């Protein structure tokens, strides 16, 4: 069956900047990442197993997913993340849902430290088609999204800088704490 032979991921350009000293010490510290021109495909087959689960030989939510007690403390300081010209395909053969979208450009940063979580994102994408339950769109819809969020886990506070989303002419904006 050719359904199971479709690639999950194809990328034409990958750039990663990392700290070599930290790598020698056994850690990974990535400060920049760029992924350009490619696609990612996520499929759920009739037996409810996804293409990623089948490729990895695991079941999400299965026995190997239950023991999360020994999670290490992590620090992430990704100064720049960029996705350019990436096609995203989602196909659920079980429920007959489908989505195809083109990420024209996603720029962002992400910091995850014990006392602060900060994320910024600027997204320009087109939704080419969606079929979900009774909702169906087959004409292209552009989405522009921009936001910055700061989370203080100690003070249990979330701050959202002025953020906006534009979908085919409709514009929404939010901010606050």
């Amino acid at each position: 069956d050719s359904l199971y032979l479709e690639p999950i991921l194809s990328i034409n350009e990958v750039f990663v900047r990392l700290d070599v000293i930290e790598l020698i010490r056994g850690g990974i510290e990535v400060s920049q990442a760029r992924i350009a021109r490619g696609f990612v495909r996520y499929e759920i087959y009739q037996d409810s197993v996804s293409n990623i689960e089948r490729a990895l030989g695991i079941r999400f939510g299965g026995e190997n997913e239950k023991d999360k007690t020994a999670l290490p403390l992590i620090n992430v300081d990704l100064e720049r993340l960029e996705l350019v010209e990436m096609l995203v395909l989602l196909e659920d053969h079980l429920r007959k849902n489908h989505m195809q979208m083109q990420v024209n450009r996603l720029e962002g940063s992400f910091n995850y430290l014990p006392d602060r979580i900060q994320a910024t994102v600027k997204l320009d994408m087109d939704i080419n088609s969606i079929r979900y339950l009774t909702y169906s769109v087959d004409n292209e819809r552009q989405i522009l999204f921009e936001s910055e969020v700061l989370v203080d886990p100690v003070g249990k506070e979330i701050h959202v800088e002025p953020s906006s989303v534009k979908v085919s002419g409709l514009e929404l904006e939010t901010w606050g704490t």
Side-chain angles (χ1 to χ4, degrees):
D1 189 348
S2 65
L3 177 70
Y4 301 111
L5 300 177
E6 294 289 333
I8 294 172
L9 179 67
S10 175
I11 300 171
N12 292 320
E13 179 185 329
V14 176
F15 168 81
V16 177
R17 177 180 287 165
L18 54 91
D19 184 330
V20 176
I21 302 298
E22 185 64 25
L23 187 63
I24 292 169
R25 292 180 183 149
I28 299 175
E29 189 175 304
V30 176
S31 61
Q32 290 187 15
R34 174 185 162 87
I35 300 172
R37 294 183 307 283
F39 69 85
V40 62
R41 176 189 316 274
Y42 182 74
E43 294 191 55
I44 300 173
Y45 304 121
Q46 288 291 338
D47 61 1
S48 79
V49 176
S50 74
N51 59 340
I52 295 174
E53 291 170 313
R54 187 160 284 142
L56 297 174
I58 62 168
R59 236 353 247 246
F60 297 136
E63 290 298 316
N64 56 351
E65 291 282 311
K66 289 184 181 175
D67 186 17
K68 302 280 186 186
T69 56
L71 286 178
L73 290 176
I74 59 170
N75 292 327
V76 176
D77 190 8
L78 187 57
E79 296 170 10
R80 183 169 172 81
L81 171 65
E82 187 177 20
L83 294 177
V84 180
E85 297 176 23
M86 290 293 295
L87 182 64
V88 178
L89 307 164
L90 307 169
E91 194 73 46
D92 183 344
H93 300 282
L94 185 64
R95 295 172 195 86
K96 307 291 186 226
N97 296 325
H98 160 86
M99 183 165 58
Q100 180 182 37
M101 56 190 168
Q102 174 74 31
V103 176
N104 300 316
R105 177 174 291 287
L106 180 142
E107 296 175 357
S109 65
F110 183 72
N111 307 91
Y112 183 94
L113 305 169
D115 62 338
R116 177 178 57 105
I117 303 167
Q118 184 174 7
T120 63
V121 66
K122 186 174 182 179
L123 173 66
D124 173 2
M125 67 180 270
D126 298 318
I127 294 181
N128 301 328
S129 62
I130 294 178
R131 187 176 56 249
Y132 180 72
L133 300 174
T134 60
Y135 184 73
S136 182
V137 173
D138 289 319
N139 55 337
E140 189 174 287
R141 308 275 177 143
Q142 183 183 35
I143 297 176
L144 300 172
F145 176 75
E146 194 168 338
S147 183
E148 181 175 352
V149 177
L150 179 63
V151 178
D152 175 2
V154 176
K156 297 182 180 176
E157 186 173 273
I158 298 173
H159 180 75
V160 178
E161 292 292 331
S163 302
S164 67
V165 63
K166 298 175 187 175
V167 180
S168 299
L170 173 67
E171 186 173 343
L172 304 169
E173 198 170 277
T174 190
W175 61 89
T177 299

